Amino acid sequence: MTDHHTGQRTARAPGSSRLVAVLALACGVAVGNVYFPQALVPLAAADLGVSPGTAAGVVTATQFGYAAGVFLLVPLGDRLPPRPLLVTLLAVTGLGLTAAAAAPALPPLLAASVPVGAATVIAPLAGPLAAGLVPPGRRGVAGGTLLSGSLAGMLLSRTAGGALGERLGWRAPYLLAAVLSLALALLLSRALPSLTPPSRQPYPRLLAEPVRLLRTEPALRRSCLYQATVFAGFSAVWTGVALLLTGPVYGLGAAAVGLLALVNAVTMCVTPYAGRLVDRRGPDAVNLVCFLLVAASSAILALGALGGGPGLLSLVAGTLLLDVGMQSGMVANQVRVYCLGADVRSRLNTAYMTCAYLGGSAGSWLGARAYAYGGWSGVCALVAVLTVLGLLGHLRARNRIRTPERNPYGGPRCDVTVR
């Protein structure tokens, strides 16, 4: 493992717990912009005169934009002061959401969704920032707190989006999200401290750095593989479940998708615990449990095709396991990544999150195709295949791991692989 420990982003900021809480709120609002369109696919399809499968392209476009934003914009977190960077991105997000709400047809909506996804990359910028604001032994907890905020945004945005969309139309959630993004930009302009970025490298070198890190850091490649496969399955499920619940098997409205997401809000309480577990046990042990949870969820979710009460219970239990597995795995993977270097955390996170959201956008596309050709059972089979691919990579890597060593900062263990 290459040693990048040449410095820290900042000294510990006073009131770091309060700042982490503010950043968690920012993560929730920003991440919600990526996920609330999932609950609106049937409504947008009916209003714009396209099929639900075609309208699902909005979800894919937003996640593709997010992956592009992670690759192109997150490296700037090591180059620019965080306060003006985050405020500017949230302002651009608000303007993009306003344009999406005004879209008269699907092509303009797709065109607006890409920059919205690209600009709403607050969470991958907040993670490295928070890691530099807290003591080393608290990074797992801080990561879990931010992830709880992201998860709250992910789940509650679907709930609010579906309910508001049914009452006022699919455009209303876009307008609400725009207002929240602009309000959050104002909050961060006042709450964030003035910090000095750790790098003065030119932008082209910052863009090239994540590729170099992927090539030289086996632990980074493993984290990318694990999250890409699990997140692809996660995105496939939440794309397909909107089509299942609003289709002939259940005949429910878009609000049902939001209610299902709301049930999964319990996972917000799990991620801080997962962070503490990573701090004590290391990332690999948590990753293994997460893969097993996601594999079990695919079998339980398949029973959702039965319809009726038993089917709904299966969807609730299956999505709950899936969310716990995906989010807890995210904590473990990010802690492993942040062990690799304090001065390059944004670039490490760029590589990691780009791979994760490329997997997510591919999962959304594959999920829509799997549902079109194989129904809900096809979606669940896709999740199982993706999970097996990730699990096999994990088991193969564990056979090549030497004894874990402690993080040089005294935090969670870092995995050292044999090249």
Side-chain angles (χ1 to χ4, degrees):
M1 184 177 71
T2 305
D3 183 13
H4 299 294
H5 301 284
T6 60
Q8 188 70 309
R9 172 185 289 272
T10 65
R12 305 287 173 250
S16 59
S17 297
R18 180 182 62 84
L19 290 175
V20 169
V22 171
L23 290 172
L25 175 62
C27 290
V29 172
V31 167
N33 296 331
V34 181
Y35 291 98
F36 77 80
Q38 292 177 337
L40 302 177
V41 166
L43 297 174
D47 183 60
L48 299 176
V50 297
S51 69
T54 303
V58 174
V59 179
T60 301
T62 306
Q63 291 187 339
F64 177 79
Y66 193 90
V70 168
F71 181 77
L72 296 172
L73 300 177
V74 171
L76 293 174
D78 286 333
R79 181 67 177 82
L80 300 177
R83 183 169 61 192
L85 177 60
L86 296 181
V87 169
T88 300
L89 289 176
L90 284 166
V92 171
T93 300
L95 295 176
L97 289 165
T98 303
L106 183 62
L109 177 58
L110 292 172
S113 296
V114 175
V116 165
T120 195
V121 289
I122 303 303
L125 286 166
L129 175 59
L133 294 175
V134 299
R138 298 283 296 173
R139 286 179 187 146
V141 174
T145 301
L146 294 185
L147 198 52
S148 291
S150 297
L151 183 57
M154 183 187 303
L155 300 178
L156 297 179
S157 67
R158 293 195 194 105
T159 304
L164 190 61
E166 279 208 332
R167 288 179 177 271
L168 301 177
W170 66 268
R171 301 176 193 273
Y174 278 91
L175 290 174
L176 176 60
V179 171
L180 290 175
S181 296
L182 295 174
L184 184 62
L186 179 60
L187 173 63
L188 291 187
S189 70
R190 297 174 177 271
L192 289 181
S194 178
L195 301 175
T196 302
S199 174
R200 294 187 177 275
Q201 289 186 349
Y203 182 62
R205 289 188 62 184
L206 290 176
L207 288 183
E209 189 74 359
V211 177
R212 184 192 70 78
L213 291 169
L214 274 171
R215 187 177 66 251
T216 59
E217 296 292 352
L220 175 61
R221 292 196 299 271
R222 291 202 297 125
S223 293
C224 291
L225 172 65
Y226 300 166
Q227 196 63 29
T229 53
V230 172
F231 193 45
F234 176 88
S235 298
V237 166
W238 282 104
T239 298
V241 79
L243 304 176
L244 175 68
L245 290 176
T246 58
V249 176
Y250 289 95
L252 300 174
V257 182
L259 289 175
L260 179 62
L262 185 61
V263 171
N264 286 267
V266 67
T267 54
M268 290 186 291
C269 303
V270 174
T271 48
Y273 172 75
R276 289 191 291 271
L277 192 61
V278 171
D279 286 338
R280 291 197 302 266
R281 303 283 187 177
D284 268 3
V286 175
N287 276 132
L288 179 59
V289 173
C290 292
F291 277 123
L292 296 177
L293 288 176
V294 175
S297 76
S298 66
I300 296 172
L301 284 168
L303 300 176
L306 297 174
L312 281 174
L313 288 176
S314 298
L315 291 177
V316 169
T319 54
L320 184 61
L321 283 178
L322 177 65
D323 282 10
V324 170
M326 195 278 286
Q327 300 293 343
S328 300
M330 174 77 85
V331 175
N333 291 327
Q334 286 188 313
V335 168
R336 182 187 294 111
V337 168
Y338 293 155
C339 279
L340 300 177
D343 58 326
V344 290
R345 285 197 184 109
S346 287
R347 282 160 281 176
L348 287 164
N349 213 31
T350 293
Y352 170 69
M353 295 298 291
T354 299
C355 292
Y357 272 87
L358 285 175
S361 58
S364 295
W365 186 85
L366 290 172
R369 304 285 83 74
Y371 190 87
Y373 293 107
W376 181 244
S377 297
V379 175
C380 296
L382 172 64
V383 175
V385 170
L386 291 168
T387 306
V388 168
L389 290 175
L391 180 59
L392 288 176
H394 179 65
L395 295 176
R396 179 174 177 270
R398 281 176 64 110
N399 291 332
R400 301 172 61 234
I401 298 286
R402 295 201 296 258
T403 303
E405 68 178 14
R406 297 294 296 179
N407 180 349
Y409 291 125
R413 292 180 294 186
C414 301
D415 302 316
V416 182
T417 53
V418 180
R419 297 182 187 243

